[in-house]
């Protein structure tokens, strides 16, 4: 299973999203992130990806790791991935459109455009908005457009004890 990071930028109580121009989720709103490369740790990967995808600078200490999701794609094991999810409330610079991501847009957290995002995002982004720790698994159908099974759990303490959602 490949390892990825996904970070969501927040400013003044709003979430910043952009439309993906490449790879999985093309044409859909998303946060920023990508594959962990070489000897990078998760935070280093996220900092690099955010810089590449929207040209803002984030200090790795400011990346709040909230959890992870294992995404499973029926019949397409090469697409299966573990994605570590982060919340970023402090960054330098103004998010910009790049070759990978469209023009950044800010949304009130109660008006996140889930209907224009990848299926399943509505299952875990509420944890991110609330700054809650979580873990989970999402299983997709063969076409990747419907969820077959979704199990998300809130992590309630440092011992990784969970509360089922």
């Amino acid at each position: 299973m490949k390892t990825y990071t996904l970070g969501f930028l927040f400013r003044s109580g709003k979430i910043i999203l952009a439309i993906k121009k490449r790879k999985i989720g093309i044409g859909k709103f998303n946060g920023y992130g990508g594959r962990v490369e070489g000897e990078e740790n998760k935070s280093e990967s996220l900092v690099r990806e955010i810089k590449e995808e929207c040209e803002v600078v984030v200090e790795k200490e400011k990346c709040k790791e909230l959890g992870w999701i294992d995404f499973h794609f029926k019949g397409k094991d090469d697409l299966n991935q573990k994605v570590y999810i982060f919340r970023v409330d402090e960054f330098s610079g103004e998010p910009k459109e790049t070759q990978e991501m469209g023009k950044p847009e800010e949304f009130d957290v109660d008006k996140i455009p889930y209907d224009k995002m990848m299926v399943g995002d509505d299952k875990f982004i509420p944890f991110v908005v609330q700054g809650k720790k979580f873990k989970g698994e999402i299983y997709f159908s063969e076409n990747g457009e419907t969820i077959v099974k979704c199990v998300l759990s809130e992590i309630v303490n440092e011992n990784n004890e969970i509360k089922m959602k």
Side-chain angles (χ1 to χ4, degrees), residues 45-159:
S45 172
L46 183 67
V47 166
R48 175 185 52 74
E49 290 285 350
I50 289 174
K51 177 73 172 158
E52 290 173 4
E53 292 186 352
C54 71
E55 299 184 7
V56 300
V57 176
V58 176
E59 297 174 28
K60 65 181 180 178
E61 297 78 23
K62 303 293 183 184
C63 300
K64 182 179 179 186
E65 183 178 343
L66 295 176
W68 69 92
I69 298 178
D70 290 339
F71 291 98
H72 302 274
F73 296 85
K74 186 175 182 181
K76 299 179 181 175
D77 291 344
D78 59 314
L79 295 180
N80 293 348
Q81 50 194 260
K82 178 179 283 291
V83 180
Y84 290 92
I85 314 290
F86 293 81
R87 179 181 171 124
V88 179
D89 291 288
E90 295 179 46
F91 55 89
S92 300
E94 187 61 33
K96 295 179 175 43
E97 181 172 356
T98 62
Q99 290 181 349
E100 291 194 41
M101 301 291 284
K103 181 181 177 193
E105 296 184 41
E106 294 186 24
F107 297 92
D108 290 326
V109 295
D110 60 345
K111 295 182 180 165
I112 296 172
Y114 291 119
D115 61 326
K116 296 177 181 159
M117 299 177 79
M118 292 176 61
V119 72
D121 286 2
D122 62 323
K123 306 294 186 204
F124 69 87
I125 290 178
F127 286 99
V128 178
V129 168
Q130 296 170 34
K132 291 184 176 180
K133 293 187 173 256
F134 65 96
K135 66 179 181 176
E137 293 183 285
I138 298 178
Y139 293 83
F140 294 97
S141 62
E142 287 183 38
N143 66 11
E145 294 179 15
T146 56
I147 294 175
V148 175
K149 179 180 175 184
C150 176
V151 179
L152 289 175
S153 307
E154 181 180 348
I155 299 172
V156 295
N157 62 34
E158 62 277 351
N159 296 324

